[in-house]
Amino acid sequence: MAPEMIMAMEHGTYDVAVDIWSLGITCIELAERKPPLFELNAMTALYHIPQKDPPKLKGGHWSSSFESFVKESLTKDPAQRPTAHHLIKHPFITQKRPDDTIYKLVERTKSPDLQKANSDAMDAVLKSVSQVTGLAKQADMTEPYSAAAPNKRVEGKPRASVQALETGILSSIDERPSASTSENETSLQSVRTNRWLTQNANIQHQVVSAQLQEIRKLRRSQAKALEVAHGKQAAEISKILSRATSEMDQIVKTKEKELEKHLAKSRIQLESHDKAEVQELKAFLKVRKTEADKRRSTSKRDQQNTLKHAKSEVLKDETLSKAEKKKQLLELKDKHVTMVQSNSDRLESRIEYEDKIGELEFQLSRLPLTHAMTYRQLQEEVELIIRHNNSAMDAKKRRRDVLVATYKSHADELITLQRKSLQDTFDVELAQAKNQQRDS
């Protein structure tokens, strides 16, 4: 049995590489007429196979290709063990052999002398067994049966049924001609050997089954403990993540609430600033309008005074006749109208230009204040965002630290459970091996 197959009896995690191992063991058994660890009982052998190095051919009379083939087939690590496709190209398989080897073995098996000897020996055994069957049954019926140990020897002697069977076989053999005495003794010895091997195999099978059942029970309890530990870890991690999620949601809600409050405050400040600016602009425009009206009235009065003075000068001039004075007065009136219109246009253009310049100057004077207030609001908003981001980062860091501590504690707990599991398994297997050694 391959080492990985013994180690994986519980879960069955092995593959076809176990057949390559069995091929190597079969080669040793064919060469040495017995498998490795043949002198040990089954449970002890199962314990030694995965612990010891792979078995080797004994003696130095084997070919190097055969030893290499067996060594490669018995590679302990299944991942490094060659496949059948690789081994079929091995020199031990591909080397030339006599073509009549199989033929000679078949002919030797079909030899009439060998077949007759085997047939006579088997007939003798069957005849002996049939003659004493009734005697054995009677002995079994009269002998008390022990349920605790049905095949156990009493004071170093076999049961009465076994003694009767052996006595009958011996008596039947004694009645046969002396020429076949050795063959009958060989057949009887074969029957005894087979019976002993069958009984021993049954006992070892029961022992191994009980031991494997005990190991399975231990592994089930260990698996349950690991499952409970994993469930506990998952529950704690879920609780930590839930608490961290709630904390992050609270941080986000607080951030949104403070941002809304800050934006509302900024909006109120901007509205107040805009109202103050509109009022100041209205006051400025009102002052400008008053000044413009005053300039218009002053210009109109100056023009009327100028016209009046010109008329008085024309009227005082005695050298002019009435017709000429009238004509000059009309001309003065026309010039006055033209001059008034021209002066009025120039004045309105100048007033409009000065109003625009004044409005721009007013806006420029208010611009630094607006920029300062906007900058202050943006700075407060950035500080608020940075503060909340730092709070979120601190919360994430705390969650990470708690998760790391939880994973570490659970890893330590799992390591402790696995160590205890390995120690318990080792103790059970060691106790079983000691019991097997004591029984053997």
Side-chain angles (χ1 to χ4, degrees):
M1 187 180 293
E4 67 270 18
M5 191 173 182
I6 297 173
M7 300 301 292
M9 282 184 176
E10 182 69 21
H11 305 289
T13 54
Y14 55 88
D15 55 12
V16 295
V18 298
D19 297 330
I20 303 299
W21 179 277
S22 300
L23 173 63
I25 298 297
T26 304
C27 291
I28 294 180
E29 186 174 0
L30 291 173
E32 299 178 354
R33 300 185 181 181
K34 62 179 181 180
L37 304 178
F38 178 73
E39 66 279 1
L40 302 177
N41 57 52
M43 193 60 197
T44 306
L46 287 176
Y47 178 76
H48 283 289
I49 288 173
Q51 301 295 331
K52 291 186 175 182
D53 295 333
K56 299 179 181 179
L57 288 167
K58 298 178 181 178
H61 56 280
W62 307 108
S63 63
S64 59
S65 60
F66 182 53
E67 290 182 349
S68 174
F69 181 81
V70 173
K71 183 178 179 181
E72 291 186 18
S73 299
L74 297 179
T75 303
K76 194 168 184 179
D77 186 3
Q80 302 296 329
R81 195 176 303 156
T83 61
H85 181 72
H86 176 76
L87 286 178
I88 203 171
K89 300 177 183 179
H90 194 276
F92 177 70
I93 303 297
T94 59
Q95 65 181 343
K96 293 184 178 181
R97 294 182 176 84
D99 298 334
D100 57 347
T101 302
I102 304 297
Y103 177 76
K104 289 180 179 180
L105 290 174
V106 174
E107 289 297 326
R108 181 180 175 184
T109 305
K110 292 181 178 180
S111 174
D113 297 335
L114 182 61
Q115 290 184 358
K116 187 175 183 304
N118 292 335
S119 178
D120 294 341
M122 184 59 65
D123 292 340
V125 172
L126 293 176
K127 185 177 180 181
S128 302
V129 172
S130 64
Q131 288 176 357
V132 299
T133 300
L135 181 59
K137 290 182 178 180
Q138 293 177 4
D140 286 337
M141 294 173 62
T142 58
E143 179 184 359
Y145 177 76
S146 175
N151 294 320
K152 186 175 181 181
R153 294 178 180 269
V154 180
E155 296 180 357
K157 295 181 180 180
R159 294 178 56 196
S161 60
V162 178
Q163 291 178 347
L165 181 60
E166 292 177 355
T167 304
I169 293 175
L170 288 173
S171 62
S172 64
I173 291 174
D174 292 340
E175 295 175 358
R176 293 180 59 85
S178 59
S180 60
T181 301
S182 61
E183 295 179 0
N184 292 331
E185 290 179 354
T186 304
S187 301
L188 180 59
Q189 183 64 30
S190 177
V191 171
R192 290 176 178 175
T193 302
N194 290 333
R195 184 186 66 244
W196 180 84
L197 290 175
T198 302
Q199 294 175 353
N200 191 28
N202 290 333
I203 294 173
Q204 289 184 357
H205 176 71
Q206 294 174 1
V207 172
V208 171
S209 298
Q211 292 172 347
L212 290 178
Q213 186 175 2
E214 184 178 358
I215 292 175
R216 290 193 186 99
K217 183 178 179 181
L218 179 62
R219 289 185 178 177
R220 281 195 295 269
S221 64
Q222 294 168 355
K224 187 175 181 180
L226 288 175
E227 185 178 357
V228 170
H230 284 301
K232 182 180 178 182
Q233 179 185 9
E236 289 187 5
I237 291 174
S238 177
K239 185 177 180 181
I240 292 171
L241 292 178
S242 177
R243 186 166 61 247
T245 303
S246 300
E247 186 177 358
M248 289 297 296
D249 292 340
Q250 185 65 29
I251 291 174
V252 171
K253 289 180 180 179
T254 304
K255 177 182 177 181
E256 291 177 352
K257 189 179 294 184
E258 291 187 2
L259 280 176
E260 289 179 358
K261 185 177 180 181
H262 174 73
L263 292 176
K265 180 180 178 181
S266 300
R267 198 162 41 247
I268 292 172
Q269 290 178 354
L270 287 175
E271 290 176 356
S272 176
H273 176 75
D274 292 339
K275 288 181 179 179
E277 184 176 357
V278 169
Q279 291 177 359
E280 290 182 4
L281 182 60
K282 287 181 177 180
F284 174 77
L285 293 176
K286 185 177 181 180
V287 171
R288 293 292 303 174
K289 184 178 180 183
T290 303
E291 291 178 355
D293 292 340
K294 186 177 180 179
R295 291 177 64 182
R296 289 190 190 95
S297 61
T298 302
S299 176
K300 185 177 181 181
R301 187 172 57 253
D302 291 341
Q303 291 174 1
Q304 287 178 355
N305 291 331
T306 302
L307 177 62
K308 186 176 180 180
H309 179 72
K311 285 182 177 182
S312 64
E313 290 293 332
V314 170
L315 292 175
K316 287 180 181 181
D317 191 0
E318 296 178 356
T319 59
L320 296 176
S321 61
K322 290 183 179 181
E324 289 176 350
K325 288 181 179 181
K326 187 177 181 179
K327 183 178 179 181
Q328 286 184 1
L329 289 174
L330 290 173
E331 290 177 357
L332 286 173
K333 187 177 181 180
D334 293 336
K335 288 180 180 180
H336 175 73
V337 171
T338 303
M339 185 178 62
V340 168
Q341 185 65 35
S342 176
N343 290 336
S344 177
D345 293 338
R346 285 197 300 271
L347 182 60
E348 292 297 331
S349 298
R350 187 173 183 81
I351 290 172
E352 183 179 0
Y353 173 75
E354 289 178 354
D355 288 340
K356 290 182 179 180
I357 294 297
E359 186 176 355
L360 290 175
E361 289 178 352
F362 175 79
Q363 291 177 355
L364 288 175
S365 65
R366 297 285 299 180
L367 192 60
L369 181 61
T370 304
H371 286 174
M373 186 176 62
T374 306
Y375 176 77
R376 186 175 62 255
Q377 293 174 352
L378 290 175
Q379 189 175 9
E380 291 176 356
E381 185 175 352
V382 169
E383 290 177 354
L384 179 63
I385 293 173
I386 291 175
R387 186 172 65 254
H388 283 287
N389 289 337
N390 291 333
S391 301
M393 290 178 65
D394 293 339
K396 291 180 179 179
K397 185 178 180 181
R398 287 195 300 272
R399 182 184 65 179
R400 182 191 62 192
D401 295 339
V402 173
L403 285 175
V404 168
T406 304
Y407 279 119
K408 185 177 180 181
S409 63
H410 283 287
D412 295 338
E413 184 178 356
L414 290 177
I415 290 173
T416 304
L417 286 175
Q418 290 176 354
R419 286 179 178 174
K420 185 177 181 300
S421 173
L422 291 175
Q423 185 64 37
D424 293 342
T425 305
F426 177 76
D427 293 340
V428 170
E429 293 179 352
L430 183 61
Q432 293 174 354
K434 288 181 179 179
N435 293 333
Q436 289 292 329
Q437 187 177 5
R438 185 180 61 252
D439 294 340
S440 61

